[in-house]
């Protein structure tokens, strides 16, 4: 692939990406020579049987696992060559990541968990991604504030709007251990969207969700993509698949268009 020609044009360029693991004394490629290009507004689903390398691939894209060979470029920068602070900033401000497992901090309330990413870097709250500018309240116009009103904290307001949009605003003051799996997942999605990422990566975003919540989450992701966020989703859920532009199949580490 002509990476030099494409690096400035695309939000994400994955080039010949491989990750080798060793199991019972034998090497195998969990991810094998994967190419993928995504632009703003693309909504791509990855499907494939368990153990075929999907999580390993998206973890490399997010800079959580180092590739054995190949590169991931986000906005023209090679993820593997970033120093720790630059990588942390990328993960905080440009990439939103919804993991398969529960990653909320147990000693913080739901609201504080969602606000947290906006407090980690000074300029995080002013993130430039389309989701940051978008009206997360779901389109309802807010009433003009009376002049003597206490100025609301904009971070709390944004977090509450996201929780509202995901149907879990009533849980803002609860702690993660008080939530169901599906509620935790929706809170995790709100947290991943807090800084308005330009690229949202979601591993099974509808796992644990009933049909109604699946529709809420998928309509939200579809809306974000329509507003310019690139969305990369791993899913086993045939209903969720219908919201993506197209699906790619991961089979024994190889990514292909079915
Ligand atoms: N750190 C590791 N060391 C050795 N093998 C690993 C490691 N991490 C993952 N694997 C193996 O790599 C393969 C791909 O794992 P991965 O988690 O990427 O699959 P997946 O497609 O995401 O599966 P699922 O749908 O169940 O989440 C599996 O065979 C897994 O056992």
């Amino acid at each position: 692939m002509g990476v030099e020609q494409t690096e400035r044009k695309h939000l994400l360029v994955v080039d010949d990406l491989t990750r080798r693991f060793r199991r019972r004394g034998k090497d195998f490629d969990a991810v094998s020579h994967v190419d993928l290009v995504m632009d703003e507004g693309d909504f791509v689903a990855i499907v494939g049987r368990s153990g075929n390398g999907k999580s390993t691939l998206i973890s490399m894209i997010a800079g959580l696992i180092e590739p054995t060979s190949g590169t991931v470029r986000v906005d023209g920068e090679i993820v593997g060559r970033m120093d720790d602070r630059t990588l942390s900033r990328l993960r905080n401000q440009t990439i939103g990541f919804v993991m398969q497992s529960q990653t909320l901090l147990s000693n913080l309330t739901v609201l504080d968990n969602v606000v947290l990413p906006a407090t980690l870097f000074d300029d995080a709250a002013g993130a430039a991604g389309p989701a940051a500018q978008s009206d997360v309240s779901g389109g309802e116009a807010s009433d003009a504030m009376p002049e003597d009103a206490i100025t609301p904290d904009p971070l709390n307001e944004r977090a509450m709007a996201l929780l509202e949009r995901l149907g879990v605003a009533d849980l803002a003051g609860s702690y993660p251990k008080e939530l169901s799996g599906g509620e935790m997942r929706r809170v995790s999605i709100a947290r991943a969207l807090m800084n308005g990422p330009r690229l949202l990566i979601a591993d099974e975003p509808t796992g644990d969700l009933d049909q109604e919540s699946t529709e809420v989450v998928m309509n939200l992701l579809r809306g974000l993509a329509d507003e310019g966020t690139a969305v990369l989703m791993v899913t086993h859920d045939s209903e969720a698949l219908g919201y993506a532009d197209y699906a790619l199949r991961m089979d024994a580490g190889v990514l292909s268009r079915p």
Side-chain angles (χ1 to χ4, degrees):
M1 184 191 290
V3 170
E4 287 75 17
Q5 286 157 25
T6 57
E7 67 183 274
R8 298 212 174 277
K9 290 183 193 149
H10 300 293
L11 178 59
L12 172 68
V13 179
V14 173
D15 186 41
D16 201 18
L17 197 67
T18 293
R19 174 67 206 211
R20 185 160 295 168
F21 288 127
R22 173 170 278 264
R23 200 166 42 200
R24 287 188 222 106
K26 259 181 101 181
D27 287 339
F28 74 101
D29 290 347
V31 171
S32 180
H33 303 286
V34 163
D35 293 326
L36 175 66
V37 174
M38 286 184 69
D39 293 305
E40 290 181 349
D42 285 349
F43 191 168
V44 178
I46 299 179
V47 298
R49 291 213 311 273
S50 183
N52 273 254
K54 305 178 298 297
S55 298
T56 305
L57 171 62
I58 60 174
S59 297
M60 283 194 284
I61 293 173
L64 298 169
I65 296 181
E66 279 188 33
T68 303
S69 61
T71 55
V72 174
R73 285 171 198 257
V74 176
D75 224 7
E77 299 291 322
I78 294 184
V79 170
R81 289 197 198 142
M82 292 173 181
D83 59 47
D84 284 353
R85 188 168 170 82
T86 310
L87 182 59
S88 299
R89 188 177 286 269
L90 177 88
R91 287 209 295 257
N92 180 253
Q93 295 176 18
T94 308
I95 300 177
F97 197 84
V98 182
M99 295 218 187
Q100 214 173 339
S101 53
Q102 203 294 99
T103 55
L104 300 175
L105 296 180
S106 59
N107 56 337
L108 295 183
T109 64
V110 161
L111 181 63
D112 288 344
N113 263 285
V114 177
V115 167
L116 186 66
T119 64
L120 295 180
F121 288 88
D122 292 340
D123 50 351
Q133 272 92 49
S134 72
D135 174 13
V136 293
S137 66
E140 282 163 40
S142 56
D143 294 328
M145 294 289 291
E147 268 177 32
D148 58 349
I150 298 164
T151 311
D153 178 341
L155 296 184
N156 281 352
E157 279 212 324
R158 176 168 172 77
M160 283 306 297
L162 284 164
L163 290 170
E164 191 98 44
R165 189 90 185 263
L166 285 151
V168 282
D170 54 327
L171 300 172
S174 303
Y175 286 86
K177 66 171 186 307
E178 298 162 345
L179 310 186
S180 72
E183 288 164 347
M184 278 192 234
R185 194 164 301 263
R186 282 180 283 165
V187 174
S188 302
I189 294 170
R191 184 182 56 179
L193 295 174
M194 185 63 196
N195 286 343
R198 295 172 65 199
L199 172 62
L200 179 70
I201 302 173
D203 202 349
E204 299 283 357
T206 61
D208 313 315
L209 297 188
D210 58 24
Q211 198 185 347
E212 196 183 328
S213 303
T214 294
E215 274 175 33
V216 168
V217 167
M218 293 316 300
N219 278 321
L220 175 62
L221 299 192
R222 182 68 257 174
L224 289 169
D226 291 342
E227 290 162 12
T229 305
V231 182
L232 180 60
M233 163 182 81
V234 170
T235 190
H236 285 104
D237 181 348
S238 57
E239 194 185 333
L241 265 185
Y243 290 79
D245 298 332
Y246 61 91
L248 298 170
R249 175 166 295 281
M250 193 93 181
D251 197 9
V254 176
L255 192 66
S256 62
R257 199 141 181 179

